[in-house]
Amino acid sequence: MSDRSPWFYLTTPIYYVNDIPHIGHAYTTVAADVLARTHRLLGEPVFFLTGTDEHGQKVWQSAERHGLPPQVYVDRILPRFRELWEKLVISNDDFVRTTQPRHVEGVREALSLLLEKGDIYEGAYEGWYCLPDERFWTDKDVEEGLCPECRRPVERISETNYFFRMGRYQDWLVSHYEAHPEAVRPESRYNEVMGFLRKPLGDLCISRPKSRVPWGIPLPFAPDYVTYVWFDALLNYITVPRSLGPTPEEGLSRLWPGTHIVGKDILTTHAVYWPILLRALELPPPRLIFAHGWWTVDGQKMSKSRGNVVDPVGLVETFGPDATRYFLLREGQFGQDVDFSREALINRINRDLANDLGNLLSRVAAMAVKFFPEGGIPRPAGEGMREVETFAARLLPEVVSRTVALEFHRALATLWEFVGFLNRTVDARAPWVLARDPSRSQELAEVLYDLLEGLRLVAVHLTPYLPGTADRIFEILDCPGTGTASLTAHGTFGAVASYTPRPGAPLFPRRDASGAVLSEETD
Ligand code: ME8
């Protein structure tokens, strides 16, 4: 299989349905959505996958607590994820559930193949288990009865199980990463993975006896066992493409290798277990694993016991999808931890969205209508670049390149630099002064055209981030782009021959400290 498919195949983790989604899930999925939409804007074929991880002890225990059979329980939680993605206008091309037959079959085939190759063997297991992380640990990993990763208590387990010969592939993985340091990002995470790989990798226990965990995919060669949830879950990244082709092999080779966005909590499973599993299956490793940081709330870890879990549905209902998406990606650097506070969110909405962007659009559109009531503000004829075009040419390509590099906050900061420049242009060129002098009507038309064209390009570049807002701007400017913006067709300055804008309601109403919308009069 070639390791250069023309497709941009992008995934989020598949989330456990042991509880309803929270802001962390929304963060990863919005980031992936922006990346997927940007690659589409660039005209690339994109396949964007998200989904749910429905097996394993954790999900099974939640179902037990609710007195429900696991399938019934996960079927009840699932709509909460689907509804959230709809509210956040996530543009995934498929949604995988690990209970789907296409996935179950794919996992069983992979297990049979690995057994045939001698990569799976039966052995005795004695060690520690961290239930919240669904991970085994050895005596040397565990200190004072706590999981080395999440610091929660582990339990002692002794049973016969099936093992995957992970250690066999360690040298290959080390040389792969030495040759491709760009495959795990940011760099600090790459270093972490290389550090982890300095110790010998044990073999991975990939089964659970059904007597202990009855909820999972049975091993095809040992039906009294189910597949370890991580082994099952990681395979979703290939079982889905396999289910889409005329044959599984063609489906997979069309999309693979993929790009995975994950949280830093699941770096080792993705950057160590997964490429090794792929290697054992004779498939190329992922193109990129990007591990982002953690959201805290008002400086504290988010947890149910603290009662500070941020509900993304509530945020979208109060502030709308675009303000929520903007805040998630603007507030912190992707890759670093970031803190949530309502105050910071409201500040961003008032300052960046309502003032900088919303006011600019309202002012420019209102002036265009006032000074050119018949519309038809033409593209200026003159030679050479005027200032707005020069700024657009300097800043806007950077918005795209930073997004493609997953530097979302810098991409947005750069776009807002351009918005700031347009605001300064309004003040400096003062169209209302030009309008008083009939001999300067051509200059007035030129300034307004440049501002409107600048705003249109802001909307084009906002499309991946704030799709609804971009559409509203296109509507107000009465120009093409809506829903189908492409950088080749719509990304150049001067692409629109003339403007007849139709002002509408403000893009983002201002909010008071409680988040309530301020009425026009109090504004
Ligand atoms: O780990 N800040 O599922 P999960 C930022 N099923 N991101 C956060 C976060 C926070 N506070 N909390 C969660 C699983 N996330 C497995 C994955 S993939 C083959 C199997 C995000 O429901 C982040 O992306 O626990 C993290 O990696 C993911 O949710 C964990 O989701």
Side-chain angles (χ1 to χ4, degrees):
M1 183 183 291
S2 117
D3 64 357
R4 276 286 164 252
S5 154
W7 282 75
F8 183 67
Y9 172 36
L10 177 67
T11 72
T12 71
I14 48 172
Y15 305 111
Y16 287 128
V17 279
N18 63 328
D19 208 341
I20 58 172
H22 60 72
I23 193 175
H25 299 128
Y27 183 47
T28 320
T29 309
V30 165
D33 187 59
V34 167
L35 193 60
R37 286 174 182 269
T38 300
H39 281 269
R40 289 192 199 111
L41 195 66
L42 288 164
E44 291 169 39
V46 170
F47 191 82
F48 170 27
L49 179 66
T50 188
T52 42
D53 191 354
E54 306 193 352
H55 292 126
Q57 196 168 354
K58 206 152 77 165
V59 172
W60 178 66
Q61 285 192 346
S62 288
E64 288 274 286
R65 270 198 302 278
H66 287 82
L68 291 170
Q71 188 68 60
V72 175
Y73 176 72
V74 296
D75 286 350
R76 282 195 193 172
I77 299 275
L78 181 79
R80 307 294 288 269
F81 280 87
R82 284 200 190 271
E83 281 158 21
L84 175 61
W85 303 151
E86 236 166 74
K87 280 186 197 303
L88 279 167
V89 290
I90 302 302
S91 64
N92 54 302
D93 297 292
D94 203 338
F95 189 99
V96 60
R97 303 179 60 182
T98 52
T99 49
Q100 286 167 342
R102 61 174 176 173
H103 174 74
V104 173
E105 276 160 30
V107 170
R108 290 167 64 91
E109 276 168 34
L111 285 163
S112 300
L113 186 72
L114 294 175
L115 183 80
E116 230 170 76
K117 287 188 63 196
D119 276 329
I120 289 179
Y121 65 93
E122 190 182 354
Y125 185 81
E126 168 97 38
W128 300 98
Y129 195 64
C130 169
L131 177 59
D133 285 354
E134 300 269 21
R135 299 273 297 273
F136 280 114
W137 298 105
T138 60
D139 287 337
K140 67 176 170 24
D141 299 318
V142 170
E143 271 174 35
E144 293 166 10
L146 298 178
C147 167
E149 198 122 310
C150 70
R151 312 300 300 164
R152 284 175 283 203
V154 287
E155 55 180 299
R156 188 82 189 157
I157 275 179
S158 156
E159 59 196 21
T160 299
N161 263 315
Y162 288 83
F163 292 83
F164 170 53
R165 294 189 198 279
M166 194 154 71
R168 254 189 191 178
Y169 299 95
Q170 178 161 9
D171 290 346
W172 164 79
L173 187 60
V174 171
S175 40
H176 167 66
Y177 281 146
E178 277 169 356
H180 296 281
E182 76 290 350
V184 178
R185 294 205 346 248
E187 199 186 334
S188 55
R189 300 290 166 212
Y190 171 81
N191 294 336
E192 199 178 314
V193 170
M194 291 310 263
F196 184 87
L197 285 171
R198 249 178 252 126
K199 281 189 283 176
L201 281 179
D203 288 347
L204 182 68
C205 179
I206 54 142
S207 69
R208 302 289 179 267
K210 261 191 176 164
S211 53
R212 184 161 65 79
V213 186
W215 181 233
I217 301 176
L219 298 185
F221 42 83
D224 289 341
Y225 289 84
V226 295
T227 314
Y228 169 42
V229 68
W230 267 104
F231 210 76
D232 163 353
L234 288 163
L235 283 164
N236 92 86
Y237 301 137
I238 59 170
T239 59
V240 170
R242 278 171 61 89
S243 75
L244 300 173
T247 65
E249 290 70 30
E250 284 175 77
L252 184 59
S253 66
R254 191 168 64 111
L255 295 184
W256 193 253
T259 293
H260 305 303
I261 301 190
V262 298
K264 65 179 184 181
D265 56 325
I266 53 177
L267 176 67
T268 351
T269 45
H270 280 80
V272 178
Y273 298 6
W274 177 227
I276 286 185
L277 177 52
L278 286 162
R279 179 74 179 174
L281 292 169
E282 294 167 21
L283 294 169
R287 237 175 236 185
L288 169 68
I289 294 148
F290 192 105
H292 65 66
W294 220 232
W295 279 88
T296 52
V297 176
D298 297 318
Q300 293 205 310
K301 194 172 179 281
M302 203 171 20
S303 77
K304 263 192 169 173
S305 49
R306 283 202 178 92
N308 64 352
V309 177
V310 179
D311 165 25
V313 174
L315 288 185
V316 180
E317 281 170 357
T318 311
F319 301 106
D322 281 10
T324 308
R325 289 169 66 105
Y326 181 79
F327 176 74
L328 286 175
L329 294 183
R330 180 66 186 90
E331 191 60 11
Q333 182 177 336
F334 202 62
Q336 304 285 317
D337 291 351
V338 44
D339 190 52
F340 178 90
S341 80
R342 239 176 127 83
E343 194 189 340
L345 168 62
I346 292 165
N347 278 342
R348 286 264 173 222
I349 294 176
N350 286 342
R351 204 178 47 213
D352 302 4
L353 299 178
N355 277 0
D356 295 351
L357 178 64
N359 266 354
L360 171 69
L361 178 70
S362 305
R363 285 174 83 191
V364 172
M367 286 189 290
V369 170
K370 185 167 172 200
F371 303 140
F372 290 84
E374 307 297 318
I377 302 169
R379 178 171 47 217
E383 292 279 301
M385 280 196 192
R386 288 176 311 283
E387 225 189 355
V388 177
E389 184 174 4
T390 311
F391 254 78
R394 181 161 75 74
L395 291 175
L396 298 180
E398 201 178 309
V399 176
V400 179
S401 62
R402 289 201 186 282
T403 306
V404 167
L406 290 91
E407 295 173 14
F408 304 113
H409 82 297
R410 295 182 71 180
L412 286 170
T414 306
L415 187 54
W416 254 253
E417 215 180 304
F418 185 59
V419 168
F421 164 75
L422 294 178
N423 272 311
R424 288 197 303 280
T425 303
V426 172
D427 295 337
R429 305 291 299 275
W432 54 93
V433 174
L434 301 178
R436 276 188 235 127
D437 182 350
S439 72
R440 298 178 81 184
S441 63
Q442 192 182 333
E443 195 184 337
L444 174 66
E446 266 181 28
V447 172
L448 286 176
Y449 179 90
D450 285 354
L451 289 167
L452 291 161
E453 184 64 350
L455 274 161
R456 185 184 67 81
L457 289 180
V458 169
V460 170
H461 288 80
L462 266 186
T463 310
Y465 287 90
L466 314 183
T469 306
D471 279 351
R472 297 245 343 258
I473 301 177
F474 290 135
E475 252 169 60
I476 288 173
L477 299 179
D478 193 20
C479 70
T482 313
T484 56
S486 104
L487 270 185
T488 351
H490 305 111
T492 31
F493 193 91
V496 169
S498 82
Y499 276 105
T500 306
R502 301 178 299 190
L507 288 182
F508 292 92
R510 288 174 56 81
R511 311 262 171 178
D512 68 15
S514 75
V517 170
L518 287 165
S519 67
E520 291 290 306
E521 300 84 73
T522 55
D523 190 354

